[in-house]
Amino acid sequence: MKKLTALSLATVLTAGPALADEGMWTFDAFPAARMKASYGWAPDQAWLDTVRAAAVRLTGGCSASFVSTEGLILTNHHCIAQCAADLSSKDKDYLADGFVAADRAREMKCPGQQAEVVTAISDVTPRVTAAIKGLGGEALTKARDAAIAGIEAAGCTDKATTRCQVVTLFGGGQYKLYTYRKYSDVRLVWAPEFAAAFFGGDPDNFNFPRYNLDASFLRAYENGKPVATPRHLTWNPRGPVAGEATFVVGNPGRTQRLLTLDQQEFQREVLLPLQTTLLSEFRGRLIAAGMDDAERKREAADTLFGIENSYKVYWGQARALDDNAFAKRLADNEALLKAKAGRKFGDPWADIAKADVDYRNIALDYYFLEQRAGMFSGLYGYARALVRAAAEREKPNAARLPGYTDSQLPLLEKQLTDATPTYPWLEKMALSFWLSKTREYLTADAPQVKALLGRDSPEALAKRLVDGTKLADPKVRERLFAGGMAAIRASDDPLIRFVLKNDAAARAVRQQYAQKVDAPVTAAQAKLAQARFAAFGAANYPDATFTLRISYGKVMGWNERGRPVPFETTVAGLYERATGQEPFVIAKGYAAAKSQLDLSVPFDFVTTNDIIGGNSGSPVIAKDGSVIGAAFDGNIHSLGGNFGYDPSLNRTVVVSTAAVQQALEKVYPAPALVRELAAR
């Protein structure tokens, strides 16, 4: 795999202008001239406005799109897996068995889910940079956060229907205010069986050929009625055409293509080994827990899916940074930018290098006590959010921690108070894992570890906290949130008391990070952004930030070790690939419907579009503006896409609308949905 990564990344130009088909572009800076030079055509502003209005961001970390006039949303199955799991019970497993709402009345609300559509993007860079001018250390981060909170509050006075978010681009070189129309009532409409959506399981993840029906439908509601969405994408149930232009419109989560060499070394030496080790170990515990217990296997299924996916992502990133050819390329790119910049912008690389040294000294404390405190425990997450929300709401909006400002509290309240199932055995495993790893990495002698554990073992403490807490009850969480700090202080809930006791230490290391790392890096990255703009002009695009982007590319396979990989698979290949053993077991629906299916229908296909995690569920749009698929993965080469892009090898993996249409008609019949998509 190392050799594949080397080939994949050999042509990356991280510090230079974007390559052909490279780029996750903001809608207010789409490179129409560059695309026209390559493809002979580029979309006009009306085309861009239409697809932007149809694009949806889901708060679970996915993308989606409106595909009818009545709020129907196309996304991936793995983007609704948490919803299906939350709605399931011992007697009915919607994740495993799938779900088809016979009518609107039976569409089921997804706990914690919110759909958001961008309505405006405005540049607020001058306002933020003026607020932080001349400042350093903690004063800089406080002034920046205060300015952002004020801009968001002023931009969205109607908190019930709008959400405002100031997005940092180019590491602090630009700040943009994104205004969203939000829909807090999102319901599940249709989902296939898990075995159909994730055929091939973890072995096939980030690989191709694929045979995955990774698609589902949701619907946005308001005041108990489906939302009217006249600006939507036209459903086009056809297969892809080799070489045709395609667009992916969605919300890529995060890339790190603008990191300096020092920052990349920190990733390679510290963060990535830590993350892959922890994920690998917890993955093993989950698998072992479900081996002889079917109910525990069901309850942990969505958690395991997420952990396996994350592990593979970080593993791929680590392999990319370990590659010698890639490392040399990155060094050459940084040298090129330094040469072009000269001393005009100072020495931001040295400033970042110093901050990196400070970061290494506090990295483990910051990771275990603040950044990933509680790790995989949902109950701990509730407790900390309730404690911090109460404390922060006693402060002026501009003085609060990010995540607890007026613009962000409505979504937090929804996620805290929506009913979702919790499983005590899983919570105990997650909480004890975090406590034991904190003790292991920080050592038993660390004051913070002694404060966390006292004289308890991680397992005994986790058991006492989970058995004693009432936070699994959404009504309890609702009362605590509504009651503010008075209710928190009066609570005898052991998890609330535990967080109250230890939150000061977490806040202290957060403050250290803000002063020693965040502030100097923010200032340095702003200078780096100026250097890039001066050197390469408009041929730059910002790193991904889980905000709306558009990429362009084409339907195209690639060559793998001297062999061509075709651009599409067909339904016939699903049956040929099946072994009868997990994870290559044909889903029951496909087994029963085989004789009725057109086996030549395209199933999945690949394009050269530049995407990353968070793009899951993004519509894949043809030149005419119609949707012909939903992006659900990348190939193995795309794992290095966090740091760079190679058009010859990086591929987006898409489920075809033709396969979804056939499934809607013959495998998991949904006649009303078929009529709606056809606008009949």
Side-chain angles (χ1 to χ4, degrees):
M1 209 57 67
K2 186 172 181 180
K3 290 295 184 184
L4 297 182
T5 304
L7 289 171
S8 170
L9 299 169
T11 59
V12 171
L13 288 174
T14 304
L19 300 169
D21 294 358
E22 177 188 351
M24 303 171 197
W25 303 90
T26 58
F27 266 77
D28 55 346
F30 181 76
R34 197 187 80 157
M35 182 183 176
K36 189 171 184 179
S38 296
Y39 285 77
W41 177 87
D44 59 18
Q45 192 59 49
W47 191 101
L48 292 170
D49 289 344
T50 297
V51 300
R52 188 185 79 170
V56 176
R57 182 172 74 171
L58 299 175
T59 52
C62 280
S63 300
S65 58
F66 286 122
V67 288
S68 86
T69 59
E70 297 179 273
L72 188 66
I73 296 171
L74 169 69
T75 190
N76 289 153
H77 180 276
H78 74 259
C79 294
I80 64 88
Q82 182 67 58
C83 171
D86 288 346
L87 296 172
S88 296
S89 66
K90 184 177 181 180
D91 299 321
K92 187 61 179 175
D93 188 346
Y94 295 116
L95 182 59
D97 301 336
F99 174 80
V100 180
D103 51 45
R104 301 278 173 85
R106 281 178 263 198
E107 295 175 354
M108 296 194 292
K109 188 173 182 179
C110 290
Q113 187 56 266
Q114 183 167 286
E116 301 171 343
V117 179
V118 173
T119 57
I121 304 171
S122 55
D123 190 352
V124 294
T125 306
R127 296 169 65 181
V128 179
T129 54
I132 64 176
K133 187 176 181 180
L135 299 178
E138 188 181 2
L140 184 151
T141 60
K142 284 186 174 181
R144 178 199 61 197
D145 295 345
I148 287 173
I151 293 168
E152 290 176 345
C156 286
T157 55
D158 178 10
K159 302 292 190 299
T161 62
T162 59
R163 180 184 179 191
C164 284
Q165 180 186 13
V166 173
V167 180
T168 303
L169 301 175
F170 297 102
Q174 288 181 351
Y175 295 88
K176 298 289 182 74
L177 173 63
Y178 280 64
T179 305
Y180 294 89
R181 179 65 164 88
K182 68 179 185 180
Y183 303 99
S184 298
D185 183 352
V186 179
R187 306 185 190 182
L188 183 61
V189 176
W190 180 89
E193 299 166 271
F194 183 79
F198 200 47
F199 177 83
D202 188 57
D204 270 4
N205 196 19
F206 293 108
N207 285 303
F208 195 81
R210 296 287 286 279
Y211 305 89
N212 295 75
L213 192 70
D214 198 348
S216 290
F217 291 96
L218 302 167
R219 193 183 305 277
Y221 279 74
E222 198 166 50
N223 300 319
K225 297 180 180 179
V227 171
T229 47
R231 301 183 79 179
H232 64 276
L233 300 178
T234 300
W235 180 256
N236 192 352
R238 69 163 174 86
V241 178
E244 72 170 306
T246 52
F247 300 84
V248 172
V249 176
N251 300 273
R254 185 185 73 156
T255 54
Q256 296 173 300
R257 297 181 182 180
L258 303 182
L259 294 184
T260 66
L261 291 180
D262 283 289
Q263 290 172 309
Q264 291 160 6
E265 280 299 288
F266 179 80
Q267 292 285 324
R268 186 180 67 83
E269 295 175 359
V270 181
L271 278 186
L272 290 173
L274 176 64
Q275 290 166 319
T276 52
T277 299
L278 293 171
L279 288 167
S280 178
E281 184 172 342
F282 196 66
R283 172 181 181 263
R285 295 189 186 197
L286 285 176
I287 291 172
M291 286 186 69
D292 299 315
D293 190 321
E295 185 60 10
R296 286 192 172 189
K297 184 177 181 180
R298 179 191 72 79
E299 291 169 349
D302 188 55
T303 301
L304 178 60
F305 172 84
I307 286 172
E308 288 186 326
N309 189 73
S310 296
Y311 171 79
K312 209 166 207 178
V313 168
Y314 292 133
W315 174 87
Q317 291 177 8
R319 298 291 72 75
L321 289 181
D322 277 340
D323 182 84
N324 291 333
F326 184 39
K328 183 181 184 305
R329 192 66 170 184
L330 293 175
D332 291 345
N333 291 337
E334 187 164 293
L336 172 65
L337 184 57
K338 283 182 175 180
K340 284 182 173 289
R343 303 296 297 181
K344 183 178 180 182
F345 304 99
D347 193 354
W349 293 274
D351 296 337
I352 288 175
K354 182 181 181 304
D356 181 70
V357 172
D358 291 331
Y359 193 4
R360 287 170 183 261
N361 290 332
I362 64 169
L364 292 178
D365 297 81
Y366 181 64
Y367 188 88
F368 285 99
L369 299 177
E370 172 62 18
Q371 187 180 32
R372 293 290 293 137
M375 287 195 178
F376 311 110
S377 169
L379 289 175
Y380 182 91
Y382 288 145
R384 187 156 101 155
L386 286 165
V387 168
R388 287 199 169 176
E392 295 303 308
R393 282 185 295 165
E394 292 191 333
K395 304 174 184 178
N397 185 51
R400 296 177 192 169
L401 290 178
Y404 298 94
T405 58
D406 287 341
S407 65
Q408 295 163 309
L409 281 175
L411 178 57
L412 178 64
E413 182 179 6
K414 172 181 171 57
Q415 292 173 330
L416 279 171
T417 57
D418 276 3
T420 57
T422 57
Y423 307 108
W425 73 268
L426 185 54
E427 286 293 328
K428 292 172 187 175
M429 178 187 288
L431 202 53
S432 64
F433 181 78
W434 166 59
L435 290 167
S436 67
K437 293 294 123 179
T438 301
R439 182 179 64 183
E440 177 183 328
Y441 280 87
L442 302 189
T443 79
D445 295 320
Q448 302 95 327
V449 174
K450 290 181 177 179
L452 284 172
L453 289 174
R455 302 188 68 82
D456 274 321
S457 69
E459 294 74 20
L461 179 57
K463 183 178 188 305
R464 177 163 59 81
L465 293 174
V466 173
D467 286 345
T469 188
K470 303 297 183 186
L471 295 183
D473 185 345
K475 294 188 182 301
V476 171
R477 303 194 298 268
E478 186 175 3
R479 286 196 296 270
L480 286 169
F481 185 85
M485 205 63 208
I488 292 295
R489 290 195 184 100
S491 174
D492 61 357
D493 189 285
L495 256 179
I496 294 291
R497 306 309 304 171
F498 180 76
V499 172
L500 273 172
K501 175 187 172 185
N502 294 289
D503 200 41
R507 285 175 177 265
V509 73
R510 181 189 183 104
Q511 187 175 5
Q512 281 185 285
Y513 175 82
Q515 182 174 353
K516 295 182 177 181
V517 183
D518 190 13
V521 168
T522 296
Q525 286 179 329
K527 295 176 182 177
L528 285 173
Q530 292 175 323
R532 288 191 182 94
F533 291 142
F536 306 115
N540 276 282
Y541 59 92
D543 267 321
T545 52
F546 195 49
T547 48
L548 191 61
R549 304 292 179 89
I550 179 170
S551 73
Y552 65 86
K554 55 181 168 290
V555 175
M556 183 179 178
W558 77 98
N559 287 313
E560 187 73 47
R561 289 174 287 182
R563 296 189 300 273
V565 178
F567 69 87
E568 70 176 356
T569 61
T570 65
V571 176
L574 169 70
Y575 297 96
E576 295 167 3
R577 193 171 179 80
T579 65
Q581 303 296 320
E582 288 190 1
F584 300 99
V585 177
I586 295 286
K588 292 177 182 178
Y590 272 92
K594 182 178 180 181
S595 63
Q596 306 171 48
L597 301 182
D598 179 352
L599 301 184
S600 68
V601 165
F603 210 134
D604 297 334
F605 63 96
V606 292
T607 75
T608 63
N609 291 88
D610 189 4
I611 69 166
I612 203 74
N615 271 121
S616 288
S618 296
V620 177
I621 303 171
K623 182 178 176 180
D624 64 2
S626 65
V627 58
I628 61 170
F632 71 90
D633 205 358
N635 65 355
I636 197 70
H637 305 286
S638 71
L639 290 170
N642 184 57
F643 305 107
Y645 170 82
D646 176 8
S648 68
L649 289 172
N650 284 33
R651 292 295 180 270
T652 292
V653 184
V654 187
V655 58
S656 168
T657 50
V660 177
Q661 180 78 19
Q662 183 164 244
L664 289 169
E665 293 174 351
K666 299 178 180 179
V667 185
Y668 309 104
L673 199 53
V674 170
R675 290 193 295 272
E676 182 176 357
L677 288 168
R680 292 198 297 267

